[in-house]
Amino acid sequence: MAEAKIYRASTTAPVNIAVIKYWGKRDPTLNLPTNSSLSVTLSQSDLRTHTTASCSTTYSSKDSLLLNGSAQSLDTPRSRACLFSLRTLRAALESTDPSLPPLSTYPLRIVSSNNFPTAAGLASSAAGFAALVRAIADLYQLPQSPTELSLIARQGSGSACRSLLGGYVAWDHGTQENGLDSVARLVAPRSHWPEMRALILVVSAAKKGVSSTTGMQTTVETSSLFQTRASTVVPARMREMETAIAARDFDTFARVTMRESNGFHATCLDTEPPIFYLNDVSRAAIRAVEALNAKSPAGGRRLAAYTFDAGPNAVIYYLAQDRDAVLSGFKRVLGSKDGWEGEQGRAVEAGSEDEGSGEEYWDVLREGVSRVILTSVGEGPISVEDHLVDENGEPVVVQS
């Protein structure tokens, strides 16, 4: 009877949105980046991947993954690399303690669910692989730290390594050929600067036309701006950003975040053929934030910072103390969109109708934004008892 047991472990993992972007690989096989990056981990109350990893001798001989109710292949180089590394660590434990069940030899059944659109510029693969690695590590009762596990998550999705930690997280590009020094590093915990907030304007939930993996490799091969960005621009911005976070200096945080986003997308445009991740709605969001900062009543300091990953969705960072100044105009224009229903959204007073009226960018945002997400800096993965695989090994239907 013991051999028929269903072993389970579940975790939730967060989305992270980079303020210093990862773009380009120095080793595609090991997923080693050409430059370091830095991100803000977002609250799992708003954006998360929930994953259950299970194994049993009763399962078929093939590992399986069910994502948002659809079967997905685990027979990919990235997935195989992650599973191999995790199984190797578990097998090492089993070899030193014969009393442990040989879970490393059992087929895996993994069920995962996102509460946000997959592959739409909201870092779904980062949260997904972070949740997968953390859930299997818990299933296997591995002693490795989040930083050590980030070596494995990185093989699945580069940015996933940053989602294994909460708060403000760097991914050091490293210099070793084997990639052992290319790991996630905690810059500051959430508790250091808990006032950080983010407004996400979901412009499109459609899958990207050019995937991040394809886009960055084309950039490496063809962009004349890329080498200078990787060798000079990004290292300087990493230093500035870490200093700003340590000092809780939002004005510098905002300036560097926006310049970095613009520089990243300029490099994409310098790629041959050019890569267009932004659209007219994205550019309208940029103009709205620039106008907001130009009229800042806060002694001239910046109130908000936009950033865009490889997709059109805008992420706008701001501090809790500046909530009304930043969000009132967006709620005036986008108040009918989904996303304002929670406590954060209800607390925002919409601006007056004549405030900013006549500006074309508001009309573009009104027509082009499908929903908003209000969130904040958050914690890393959380182990949960809410399993997506039942006691019989069957997937649990998640009610949306």
Side-chain angles (χ1 to χ4, degrees), residues 118-138:
T118 302
L122 286 177
S124 59
S125 63
F129 272 103
L132 181 143
V133 168
R134 183 72 265 177
I136 297 176
D138 290 348

Side-chain angles (χ1 to χ4, degrees), residues 158-394:
S159 299
C161 70
R162 299 193 306 256
S163 279
L164 283 169
L165 294 163
Y168 305 84
V169 184
W171 172 18
D172 293 324
H173 76 287
T175 58
Q176 297 179 22
E177 290 187 9
N178 61 13
L180 292 180
D181 59 346
S182 182
V183 296
R185 170 174 55 87
L186 183 67
V187 174
R190 175 191 176 277
S191 58
H192 170 73
W193 203 3
E195 297 84 6
M196 187 68 70
R197 300 289 184 268
L199 165 68
I200 302 176
L201 305 181
V202 181
V203 175
S204 170
K207 195 168 183 177
K208 290 177 287 193
V210 179
S211 72
S212 298
T213 299
T214 300
M216 66 177 65
Q217 286 309 106
T218 307
T219 296
V220 170
E221 294 166 2
T222 65
S223 171
S224 60
L225 300 178
F226 173 76
Q227 288 300 331
T228 300
R229 168 179 165 75
S231 64
T232 304
V233 175
V234 170
R237 286 178 178 158
M238 283 289 293
R239 292 189 293 270
E240 274 195 285
M241 184 59 73
E242 292 200 42
T243 300
I245 291 170
R248 294 188 288 272
D249 174 3
F250 186 82
D251 190 60
T252 300
F253 174 94
R255 175 178 57 79
V256 176
T257 294
M258 292 186 287
R259 287 184 64 88
E260 168 63 11
S261 180
N262 293 337
F264 159 58
H265 286 280
T267 304
C268 291
L269 288 173
D270 188 53
T271 298
E272 187 177 346
I275 304 171
F276 300 93
Y277 285 124
L278 306 187
N279 60 22
D280 287 345
V281 186
S282 310
R283 288 182 281 274
I286 292 173
R287 291 195 292 271
V289 172
E290 293 289 358
L292 174 70
N293 286 333
K295 299 175 182 176
S296 167
R301 68 174 175 84
R302 297 168 182 85
L303 297 178
Y306 58 78
T307 189
F308 297 83
D309 280 348
N313 301 314
V315 178
I316 300 171
Y317 286 112
Y318 61 97
L319 295 180
Q321 69 196 52
D322 297 321
R323 180 197 66 194
D324 291 339
V326 173
L327 297 185
S328 62
F330 288 101
K331 189 170 186 180
R332 175 181 63 83
V333 173
L334 303 174
S336 63
K337 309 290 185 179
D338 290 341
W340 300 99
E341 302 84 5
E343 182 179 350
Q344 289 190 63
R346 290 194 302 269
V348 179
E349 293 290 335
S352 61
E353 284 301 318
D354 59 346
E355 183 181 342
S357 61
E359 297 291 354
E360 181 182 354
Y361 53 78
W362 288 127
D363 294 330
V364 176
L365 290 173
R366 183 183 291 109
E367 292 298 318
V369 172
S370 61
R371 64 167 291 124
V372 304
I373 298 170
L374 295 166
T375 187
S376 59
V377 61
E379 303 290 356
I382 301 169
S383 296
V384 297
E385 293 300 319
D386 183 11
H387 299 303
L388 300 180
V389 175
D390 67 19
E391 296 89 344
N392 300 314
E394 296 300 320

